[in-house]
Structure formats: structure tokens, C-alpha cells
Amino acid sequence: AKLAAKAEKAKARAAEKKAIGDELYATVVSVLTNEPQSREAVFAQIEGEDLTVAKIGARLSQAVKNGVAVKSTEKVDGKNKVMYALAE
């Protein structure tokens, strides 16, 4: 019985974390425009605790995988930067 209760609790925690991730994904997609932006630029437009550029980058990659966004490379200050924009 203890094991079942523990598994149930773990499921609830996982669902809660996934919901938070889904909220962040929706927020990241809402910030995207047709104008290419770096993940740092997207990060600067979103406020929230526990946010990192890496978390934003992960959601952007997810958006590209889902076909919501497109990824391109631009040279900025002599360095290649990955840019993200809404898919047409």
C-alpha cells in the first residue's frame, strides 16, 4: 500500500512539473514573431523565477520540433548565432 501511495504521489508531482513546462512552452511561443530572435532575446522578454536561457532554449527546440518555429543561423558580432522565428 505504501508503494502505491508513493507511486501516486510521484505521478502527481510529474504532472505538476509537466504543466509548468507547458505554461513556459506557451509563453515562449507567444513571444516569437516572424522576426528572427536569439534565445537570449526571447529570454529577455519573459519574466519569471527559476528561468534560465537553457530552459528557454529547450522550449524553442521543442517548438522547432513541433513545427511551430523555424531555426536559422545569423552572424552577430563575428559569431554564428542560432535564431528562432515563427514558422510561416
Side-chain angles (χ1 to χ4, degrees):
K2 267 189 178 178
L3 199 58
K6 213 173 193 180
E8 196 61 41
K9 207 170 193 177
K11 256 186 200 171
R13 249 194 324 271
E16 193 177 300
K17 277 187 177 181
K18 189 172 183 182
I20 290 168
D22 292 343
E23 284 174 29
L24 182 55
Y25 175 78
T27 306
V28 167
V29 170
S30 72
V31 168
L32 286 177
T33 63
N34 292 336
E35 198 64 39
Q37 313 176 64
S38 67
R39 62 188 198 158
E40 290 83 3
V42 173
F43 174 71
Q45 296 176 54
I46 301 173
E47 288 182 18
E49 290 180 34
D50 304 334
L51 275 187
T52 62
V53 175
K55 284 183 183 178
I56 300 298
R59 297 317 182 282
L60 287 167
S61 294
Q62 211 176 20
V64 170
K65 201 182 223 179
N66 294 341
V68 176
V70 288
K71 194 165 139 176
S72 62
T73 309
E74 281 184 27
K75 231 178 180 55
V76 180
D77 298 331
K79 290 182 183 176
N80 282 337
K81 276 273 191 197
V82 176
M83 306 297 255
Y84 299 88
L86 280 177
E88 295 297 313

Coordinates of all heavy atoms in Angstrom, one line a residue:
A1 N 0.8 -1.2 0.0 CA 0.0 0.0 0.0 C 0.9 1.3 0.0 O 0.5 2.2 -0.7 CB -0.9 0.0 1.2
K2 N 2.0 1.2 0.7 CA 2.9 2.3 0.8 C 3.5 2.6 -0.6 O 3.6 3.8 -1.0 CB 4.0 2.1 1.8 CG 3.8 2.6 3.2 CD 5.0 2.5 4.0 CE 4.8 3.0 5.4 NZ 6.0 2.9 6.2
L3 N 3.8 1.6 -1.3 CA 4.4 1.7 -2.6 C 3.5 2.3 -3.6 O 3.8 3.2 -4.4 CB 4.9 0.3 -3.1 CG 5.9 0.3 -4.3 CD1 7.2 1.1 -3.8 CD2 6.2 -1.1 -4.7
A4 N 2.2 2.0 -3.5 CA 1.2 2.5 -4.4 C 1.0 4.0 -4.1 O 0.8 4.8 -5.0 CB -0.1 1.8 -4.2
A5 N 1.0 4.3 -2.8 CA 0.8 5.7 -2.4 C 2.0 6.6 -2.9 O 1.8 7.7 -3.4 CB 0.7 5.8 -0.9
K6 N 3.2 6.0 -2.8 CA 4.4 6.7 -3.3 C 4.4 6.9 -4.8 O 4.7 8.0 -5.3 CB 5.6 5.8 -2.9 CG 6.8 6.6 -2.5 CD 7.9 5.7 -2.0 CE 9.0 6.5 -1.4 NZ 10.1 5.7 -0.9
A7 N 3.9 5.9 -5.5 CA 3.8 6.0 -7.0 C 2.8 7.0 -7.4 O 3.0 7.8 -8.3 CB 3.5 4.6 -7.6
E8 N 1.7 7.1 -6.7 CA 0.7 8.0 -6.9 C 1.2 9.5 -6.7 O 0.9 10.4 -7.5 CB -0.5 7.8 -6.0 CG -1.8 8.4 -6.4 CD -2.3 8.0 -7.8 OE1 -2.2 6.8 -8.1 OE2 -2.7 8.8 -8.6
K9 N 1.9 9.6 -5.6 CA 2.5 11.0 -5.3 C 3.5 11.4 -6.4 O 3.5 12.5 -6.8 CB 3.1 10.9 -4.0 CG 3.2 12.2 -3.2 CD 3.7 12.0 -1.8 CE 3.4 13.3 -1.0 NZ 3.8 13.1 0.4
A10 N 4.3 10.4 -6.9 CA 5.3 10.7 -7.9 C 4.6 11.1 -9.2 O 5.0 12.0 -9.9 CB 6.2 9.5 -8.1
K11 N 3.5 10.4 -9.5 CA 2.7 10.8 -10.7 C 2.2 12.2 -10.6 O 2.2 12.9 -11.6 CB 1.5 9.8 -10.9 CG 1.7 8.8 -11.9 CD 0.5 8.0 -12.1 CE 0.8 6.7 -12.8 NZ -0.3 5.8 -12.8
A12 N 1.7 12.6 -9.5 CA 1.1 13.9 -9.3 C 2.2 15.0 -9.4 O 1.9 16.0 -10.1 CB 0.4 14.0 -7.9
R13 N 3.3 14.7 -8.9 CA 4.5 15.6 -9.0 C 4.9 15.8 -10.4 O 5.2 16.9 -10.9 CB 5.6 15.1 -8.1 CG 5.9 16.0 -6.9 CD 7.3 15.8 -6.3 NE 7.7 14.4 -6.2 CZ 7.5 13.5 -5.3 NH1 6.7 13.8 -4.2 NH2 8.0 12.3 -5.3
A14 N 5.0 14.7 -11.1 CA 5.4 14.7 -12.6 C 4.4 15.5 -13.4 O 4.8 16.3 -14.2 CB 5.5 13.3 -13.1
A15 N 3.1 15.3 -13.1 CA 2.1 16.0 -13.8 C 2.2 17.5 -13.6 O 2.0 18.4 -14.5 CB 0.7 15.5 -13.5
E16 N 2.4 17.9 -12.3 CA 2.6 19.3 -11.9 C 3.8 19.9 -12.6 O 3.7 21.0 -13.2 CB 2.8 19.4 -10.4 CG 2.6 20.8 -9.8 CD 2.8 20.8 -8.3 OE1 2.0 20.1 -7.7 OE2 3.7 21.4 -7.8
K17 N 4.9 19.2 -12.7 CA 6.1 19.7 -13.4 C 5.8 19.9 -14.9 O 6.2 20.9 -15.5 CB 7.3 18.8 -13.2 CG 8.0 19.0 -11.9 CD 9.3 18.2 -11.8 CE 10.0 18.5 -10.5 NZ 11.3 17.8 -10.4
K18 N 5.1 18.9 -15.4 CA 4.8 19.0 -16.9 C 3.9 20.2 -17.2 O 4.1 20.9 -18.2 CB 4.1 17.7 -17.3 CG 4.0 17.6 -18.8 CD 3.5 16.2 -19.2 CE 3.5 16.3 -20.7 NZ 3.1 15.2 -21.4
A19 N 2.9 20.5 -16.3 CA 2.0 21.6 -16.5 C 2.8 22.9 -16.5 O 2.6 23.8 -17.3 CB 1.0 21.6 -15.4
I20 N 3.8 23.0 -15.6 CA 4.6 24.2 -15.5 C 5.4 24.3 -16.8 O 5.6 25.4 -17.4 CB 5.6 24.2 -14.3 CG1 4.8 24.3 -13.0 CG2 6.7 25.2 -14.4 CD1 5.5 24.0 -11.7
G21 N 6.0 23.2 -17.3 CA 6.7 23.2 -18.5 C 5.8 23.6 -19.7 O 6.3 24.4 -20.6
D22 N 4.6 23.2 -19.7 CA 3.7 23.5 -20.8 C 3.4 25.0 -20.8 O 3.2 25.6 -21.8 CB 2.4 22.7 -20.7 CG 2.6 21.2 -21.0 OD1 3.6 20.9 -21.5 OD2 1.7 20.4 -20.6
E23 N 3.2 25.6 -19.6 CA 3.0 27.0 -19.5 C 4.2 27.8 -20.0 O 4.0 28.8 -20.8 CB 2.9 27.4 -18.0 CG 1.5 27.1 -17.3 CD 1.5 27.4 -15.9 OE1 2.3 28.3 -15.4 OE2 0.8 26.7 -15.1
L24 N 5.4 27.4 -19.7 CA 6.6 28.0 -20.2 C 6.7 27.9 -21.7 O 7.0 28.9 -22.4 CB 7.8 27.4 -19.6 CG 9.2 28.1 -20.0 CD1 9.1 29.6 -19.7 CD2 10.3 27.5 -19.2
Y25 N 6.3 26.7 -22.3 CA 6.3 26.5 -23.7 C 5.4 27.5 -24.4 O 5.7 28.1 -25.4 CB 5.9 25.0 -24.0 CG 5.8 24.7 -25.5 CD1 6.9 24.5 -26.3 CD2 4.5 24.7 -26.1 CE1 6.8 24.3 -27.6 CE2 4.4 24.4 -27.4 CZ 5.5 24.2 -28.2 OH 5.4 23.9 -29.6
A26 N 4.2 27.6 -23.8 CA 3.2 28.5 -24.4 C 3.7 29.9 -24.4 O 3.5 30.7 -25.3 CB 1.8 28.4 -23.6
T27 N 4.3 30.3 -23.3 CA 4.8 31.7 -23.1 C 5.9 31.9 -24.1 O 5.9 33.0 -24.8 CB 5.4 31.9 -21.7 OG1 4.4 31.6 -20.8 CG2 5.8 33.3 -21.5
V28 N 6.8 31.0 -24.3 CA 7.9 31.1 -25.3 C 7.4 31.3 -26.7 O 7.8 32.2 -27.4 CB 8.9 29.9 -25.2 CG1 9.9 29.9 -26.3 CG2 9.7 30.0 -23.9
V29 N 6.4 30.5 -27.0 CA 5.8 30.5 -28.4 C 5.1 31.9 -28.6 O 5.2 32.4 -29.7 CB 4.9 29.3 -28.6 CG1 4.1 29.5 -29.9 CG2 5.7 28.0 -28.7
S30 N 4.5 32.4 -27.5 CA 3.7 33.6 -27.7 C 4.7 34.8 -27.9 O 4.3 35.8 -28.5 CB 2.9 33.9 -26.4 OG 3.7 34.2 -25.3
V31 N 5.9 34.7 -27.5 CA 6.9 35.8 -27.6 C 7.5 35.8 -29.0 O 8.0 36.8 -29.5 CB 8.0 35.6 -26.5 CG1 9.2 36.6 -26.8 CG2 7.5 35.9 -25.2
L32 N 7.5 34.6 -29.7 CA 8.1 34.5 -31.0 C 7.3 35.4 -32.0 O 6.1 35.5 -32.0 CB 8.1 33.1 -31.5 CG 9.1 32.2 -30.9 CD1 9.0 30.7 -31.4 CD2 10.6 32.6 -31.1
T33 N 8.1 35.9 -33.0 CA 7.5 36.7 -34.1 C 8.1 36.2 -35.4 O 8.8 35.3 -35.4 CB 7.8 38.2 -33.9 OG1 9.2 38.4 -34.0 CG2 7.3 38.8 -32.6
N34 N 7.7 36.9 -36.5 CA 8.3 36.5 -37.8 C 9.7 37.0 -37.9 O 10.4 36.5 -38.8 CB 7.4 37.1 -38.9 CG 6.1 36.4 -39.0 OD1 5.9 35.3 -38.5 ND2 5.1 37.1 -39.5
E35 N 10.1 37.9 -37.0 CA 11.5 38.4 -37.0 C 12.4 37.4 -36.2 O 12.1 37.1 -35.1 CB 11.4 39.8 -36.3 CG 12.7 40.6 -36.6 CD 12.8 41.1 -38.0 OE1 11.8 41.3 -38.7 OE2 14.0 41.1 -38.5
P36 N 13.5 37.0 -36.8 CA 14.3 36.0 -36.1 C 14.9 36.6 -34.8 O 15.3 37.8 -34.8 CB 15.4 35.7 -37.1 CG 14.9 36.1 -38.4 CD 13.9 37.2 -38.2
Q37 N 14.9 35.9 -33.7 CA 15.5 36.3 -32.4 C 16.3 35.2 -31.9 O 16.0 34.0 -32.0 CB 14.4 36.6 -31.4 CG 13.2 37.4 -31.9 CD 12.1 37.5 -30.8 OE1 12.4 38.1 -29.8 NE2 11.0 36.9 -31.1
S38 N 17.4 35.6 -31.1 CA 18.2 34.6 -30.4 C 17.4 34.2 -29.2 O 16.5 34.8 -28.7 CB 19.5 35.2 -30.0 OG 19.3 36.2 -29.1
R39 N 17.9 33.1 -28.6 CA 17.2 32.6 -27.4 C 17.4 33.6 -26.2 O 16.6 33.7 -25.3 CB 17.6 31.2 -27.0 CG 19.1 31.0 -26.7 CD 19.4 29.5 -26.5 NE 20.7 29.4 -25.9 CZ 21.1 28.4 -25.2 NH1 20.4 27.3 -25.2 NH2 22.3 28.4 -24.6
E40 N 18.6 34.3 -26.2 CA 18.8 35.3 -25.2 C 17.8 36.5 -25.3 O 17.3 37.0 -24.3 CB 20.2 35.9 -25.3 CG 21.3 34.9 -24.9 CD 21.7 34.0 -26.0 OE1 21.2 34.1 -27.2 OE2 22.6 33.1 -25.8
A41 N 17.4 36.8 -26.6 CA 16.5 37.9 -26.8 C 15.1 37.5 -26.3 O 14.3 38.2 -25.7 CB 16.4 38.3 -28.3
V42 N 14.7 36.2 -26.6 CA 13.5 35.7 -26.1 C 13.5 35.6 -24.6 O 12.5 36.0 -23.9 CB 13.2 34.2 -26.7 CG1 12.0 33.6 -26.1 CG2 13.1 34.3 -28.2
F43 N 14.6 35.2 -24.0 CA 14.7 35.1 -22.5 C 14.5 36.5 -21.9 O 13.8 36.6 -20.9 CB 16.1 34.6 -22.2 CG 16.4 34.6 -20.7 CD1 15.8 33.7 -19.8 CD2 17.4 35.5 -20.2 CE1 16.1 33.7 -18.5 CE2 17.7 35.5 -18.8 CZ 17.1 34.6 -18.0
A44 N 15.0 37.6 -22.5 CA 14.9 38.9 -22.0 C 13.5 39.4 -22.0 O 13.1 40.3 -21.2 CB 15.8 39.9 -22.9
Q45 N 12.6 38.8 -22.8 CA 11.2 39.3 -22.9 C 10.3 38.5 -21.9 O 9.1 38.9 -21.8 CB 10.7 39.0 -24.3 CG 11.4 39.9 -25.4 CD 10.9 39.5 -26.7 OE1 9.7 39.6 -27.0 NE2 11.8 39.2 -27.6
I46 N 10.8 37.5 -21.3 CA 10.0 36.7 -20.4 C 10.5 36.9 -19.0 O 11.7 36.7 -18.7 CB 10.1 35.2 -20.8 CG1 9.6 35.0 -22.2 CG2 9.2 34.3 -19.8 CD1 9.7 33.6 -22.7
E47 N 9.6 37.1 -18.1 CA 9.9 37.3 -16.7 C 9.5 36.1 -15.9 O 8.5 35.5 -16.2 CB 9.2 38.5 -16.1 CG 9.8 39.8 -16.6 CD 9.1 41.0 -15.9 OE1 8.5 40.9 -14.9 OE2 9.3 42.1 -16.5
G48 N 10.2 35.8 -14.9 CA 9.8 34.6 -14.0 C 11.0 34.1 -13.2 O 12.1 34.3 -13.6
E49 N 10.7 33.5 -12.1 CA 11.7 32.9 -11.3 C 12.1 31.6 -11.9 O 11.4 31.0 -12.7 CB 11.1 32.6 -9.9 CG 10.9 33.9 -9.1 CD 10.3 33.5 -7.7 OE1 10.7 32.5 -7.1 OE2 9.5 34.3 -7.2
D50 N 13.3 31.1 -11.5 CA 13.8 29.8 -12.0 C 14.0 29.7 -13.5 O 14.1 28.7 -14.0 CB 12.9 28.7 -11.5 CG 12.7 28.7 -10.0 OD1 13.5 29.2 -9.3 OD2 11.6 28.1 -9.6
L51 N 13.9 30.9 -14.2 CA 14.1 30.8 -15.7 C 15.6 30.9 -16.0 O 16.3 31.7 -15.4 CB 13.4 32.0 -16.3 CG 11.9 31.8 -16.6 CD1 11.4 33.0 -17.5 CD2 11.6 30.5 -17.4
T52 N 16.0 30.1 -17.0 CA 17.4 30.2 -17.5 C 17.3 30.2 -19.0 O 16.3 29.8 -19.6 CB 18.2 29.0 -17.0 OG1 17.6 27.8 -17.6 CG2 18.3 28.9 -15.5
V53 N 18.4 30.7 -19.6 CA 18.5 30.7 -21.1 C 18.4 29.3 -21.6 O 17.8 29.0 -22.6 CB 19.8 31.4 -21.5 CG1 19.9 31.3 -23.0 CG2 19.8 32.9 -21.1
A54 N 18.9 28.3 -20.8 CA 18.9 26.9 -21.2 C 17.4 26.4 -21.3 O 17.1 25.7 -22.2 CB 19.7 26.1 -20.3
K55 N 16.6 26.8 -20.3 CA 15.2 26.3 -20.3 C 14.5 26.9 -21.5 O 13.6 26.3 -22.1 CB 14.5 26.8 -19.0 CG 14.9 25.9 -17.8 CD 14.2 26.3 -16.6 CE 14.6 25.5 -15.4 NZ 13.9 25.9 -14.1
I56 N 14.8 28.2 -21.8 CA 14.1 28.9 -22.9 C 14.6 28.2 -24.2 O 13.7 27.9 -25.1 CB 14.5 30.4 -23.0 CG1 14.0 31.1 -21.7 CG2 13.9 31.0 -24.2 CD1 12.6 31.1 -21.5
G57 N 15.9 27.9 -24.3 CA 16.4 27.2 -25.5 C 15.7 25.8 -25.7 O 15.5 25.4 -26.8
A58 N 15.5 25.1 -24.6 CA 14.9 23.8 -24.7 C 13.4 23.9 -25.2 O 13.0 23.1 -26.1 CB 14.8 23.1 -23.3
R59 N 12.7 24.9 -24.8 CA 11.3 25.1 -25.3 C 11.3 25.6 -26.7 O 10.5 25.2 -27.5 CB 10.6 26.2 -24.4 CG 10.3 25.8 -23.0 CD 9.9 24.4 -22.7 NE 9.6 24.0 -21.4 CZ 10.6 23.8 -20.5 NH1 11.8 23.9 -20.7 NH2 10.2 23.4 -19.3
L60 N 12.4 26.4 -27.1 CA 12.5 26.8 -28.5 C 12.8 25.6 -29.4 O 12.2 25.4 -30.5 CB 13.6 27.8 -28.7 CG 13.2 29.2 -28.1 CD1 14.5 30.1 -28.0 CD2 12.2 29.9 -29.0
S61 N 13.6 24.7 -28.9 CA 13.9 23.5 -29.7 C 12.7 22.6 -29.8 O 12.4 22.0 -30.9 CB 15.0 22.6 -29.0 OG 16.2 23.3 -29.0
Q62 N 11.9 22.6 -28.8 CA 10.6 21.8 -28.8 C 9.7 22.4 -29.8 O 9.0 21.7 -30.6 CB 10.0 22.0 -27.4 CG 9.2 20.8 -26.9 CD 8.7 21.0 -25.5 OE1 8.7 22.2 -25.0 NE2 8.3 20.0 -24.8
A63 N 9.6 23.8 -29.9 CA 8.8 24.5 -30.8 C 9.2 24.2 -32.3 O 8.4 24.0 -33.2 CB 8.8 26.0 -30.6
V64 N 10.5 24.1 -32.5 CA 11.1 23.8 -33.8 C 10.7 22.3 -34.2 O 10.2 22.1 -35.3 CB 12.6 23.9 -33.9 CG1 13.2 23.4 -35.2 CG2 13.0 25.4 -33.8
K65 N 10.8 21.4 -33.2 CA 10.5 20.0 -33.4 C 9.0 19.9 -33.8 O 8.6 19.0 -34.6 CB 10.8 19.2 -32.2 CG 10.9 17.7 -32.4 CD 11.2 17.1 -31.0 CE 12.3 16.1 -31.1 NZ 12.6 15.4 -29.9
N66 N 8.1 20.7 -33.1 CA 6.7 20.6 -33.3 C 6.2 21.4 -34.6 O 5.1 21.4 -34.9 CB 5.9 21.2 -32.1 CG 6.1 20.4 -30.9 OD1 6.5 19.2 -31.0 ND2 5.8 20.9 -29.7
G67 N 7.2 22.0 -35.3 CA 6.8 22.8 -36.5 C 6.2 24.1 -36.3 O 5.8 24.8 -37.2
V68 N 6.3 24.6 -35.0 CA 5.7 25.9 -34.7 C 6.7 27.0 -35.0 O 6.3 28.1 -35.4 CB 5.3 26.0 -33.2 CG1 4.8 27.3 -32.8 CG2 4.3 24.9 -32.9
A69 N 8.0 26.7 -34.9 CA 9.1 27.7 -35.1 C 10.1 27.2 -36.1 O 10.1 26.0 -36.4 CB 9.8 28.0 -33.8
V70 N 10.8 28.1 -36.7 CA 11.9 27.7 -37.6 C 13.2 28.3 -37.0 O 13.3 29.3 -36.4 CB 11.7 28.2 -39.0 CG1 10.6 27.5 -39.7 CG2 11.5 29.7 -39.1
K71 N 14.3 27.5 -37.3 CA 15.6 27.8 -36.8 C 16.5 28.3 -37.9 O 16.5 27.7 -39.0 CB 16.1 26.5 -36.1 CG 17.3 26.6 -35.2 CD 17.4 25.3 -34.5 CE 18.8 24.8 -34.4 NZ 18.9 23.6 -33.6
S72 N 17.3 29.3 -37.7 CA 18.3 29.8 -38.7 C 19.5 30.2 -38.0 O 19.5 30.4 -36.8 CB 17.6 30.9 -39.5 OG 17.4 32.0 -38.7
T73 N 20.6 30.5 -38.8 CA 21.8 30.9 -38.2 C 22.2 32.3 -38.8 O 22.1 32.5 -40.0 CB 22.9 29.9 -38.5 OG1 22.5 28.6 -38.1 CG2 24.2 30.3 -37.7
E74 N 22.6 33.2 -37.9 CA 23.0 34.6 -38.4 C 24.3 34.9 -37.7 O 24.6 34.5 -36.6 CB 21.9 35.6 -38.0 CG 20.7 35.7 -38.9 CD 19.8 36.8 -38.5 OE1 20.3 37.8 -37.9 OE2 18.6 36.7 -38.8
K75 N 25.1 35.7 -38.4 CA 26.4 36.1 -37.8 C 26.1 37.4 -37.0 O 25.6 38.4 -37.6 CB 27.4 36.4 -38.9 CG 28.7 35.7 -38.7 CD 29.7 35.9 -39.8 CE 31.0 35.2 -39.7 NZ 31.0 33.8 -39.4
V76 N 26.4 37.4 -35.7 CA 26.3 38.5 -34.9 C 27.6 38.8 -34.2 O 28.1 37.9 -33.5 CB 25.1 38.3 -33.8 CG1 25.0 39.5 -32.9 CG2 23.8 38.0 -34.5
D77 N 28.2 39.9 -34.3 CA 29.5 40.3 -33.7 C 30.5 39.2 -34.1 O 31.3 38.8 -33.2 CB 29.3 40.4 -32.2 CG 28.4 41.5 -31.8 OD1 28.3 42.5 -32.6 OD2 27.8 41.4 -30.7
G78 N 30.5 38.8 -35.3 CA 31.5 37.8 -35.7 C 31.3 36.4 -35.3 O 32.1 35.5 -35.6
K79 N 30.2 36.1 -34.6 CA 29.9 34.8 -34.1 C 28.6 34.3 -34.7 O 27.7 35.1 -35.0 CB 29.7 34.7 -32.6 CG 31.0 35.0 -31.8 CD 30.7 34.9 -30.4 CE 32.0 35.2 -29.5 NZ 31.7 35.2 -28.1
N80 N 28.5 33.0 -35.0 CA 27.2 32.5 -35.5 C 26.3 32.3 -34.4 O 26.6 31.7 -33.4 CB 27.5 31.1 -36.2 CG 28.0 31.3 -37.6 OD1 27.9 32.3 -38.2 ND2 28.7 30.2 -38.1
K81 N 25.1 32.9 -34.5 CA 24.0 32.8 -33.5 C 22.8 32.0 -34.1 O 22.5 32.3 -35.2 CB 23.5 34.2 -33.1 CG 24.4 34.8 -32.1 CD 23.9 34.4 -30.7 CE 24.5 35.2 -29.6 NZ 24.4 34.6 -28.4
V82 N 22.2 31.1 -33.3 CA 21.0 30.4 -33.8 C 19.9 31.4 -33.5 O 19.7 31.9 -32.4 CB 20.9 29.1 -33.0 CG1 19.6 28.4 -33.4 CG2 22.1 28.2 -33.3
M83 N 19.0 31.6 -34.5 CA 17.9 32.5 -34.4 C 16.6 31.7 -34.5 O 16.6 30.7 -35.3 CB 18.0 33.6 -35.4 CG 19.3 34.4 -35.4 SD 19.6 35.2 -33.9 CE 19.2 36.9 -34.4
Y84 N 15.6 32.1 -33.9 CA 14.3 31.4 -33.9 C 13.2 32.4 -34.4 O 13.2 33.6 -34.0 CB 13.9 30.9 -32.6 CG 14.9 29.8 -32.1 CD1 16.0 30.2 -31.3 CD2 14.7 28.5 -32.4 CE1 16.9 29.2 -30.9 CE2 15.6 27.5 -31.9 CZ 16.7 27.9 -31.2 OH 17.6 26.9 -30.7
A85 N 12.3 32.0 -35.2 CA 11.1 32.8 -35.7 C 9.9 31.9 -35.8 O 10.1 30.6 -35.9 CB 11.5 33.5 -37.0
L86 N 8.8 32.4 -35.9 CA 7.6 31.6 -36.1 C 7.6 31.0 -37.5 O 8.0 31.7 -38.4 CB 6.3 32.5 -36.0 CG 5.8 32.9 -34.6 CD1 4.6 33.8 -34.7 CD2 5.4 31.6 -33.8
A87 N 7.1 29.8 -37.6 CA 7.0 29.1 -38.9 C 5.9 29.8 -39.7 O 4.9 30.2 -39.1 CB 6.7 27.7 -38.7
E88 N 6.1 29.9 -41.0 CA 5.1 30.5 -41.8 C 3.9 29.7 -42.0 O 3.9 28.5 -42.1 CB 5.7 30.8 -43.2 CG 6.8 31.8 -43.2 CD 6.4 33.2 -42.8 OE1 5.4 33.7 -43.3 OE2 7.1 33.7 -41.9

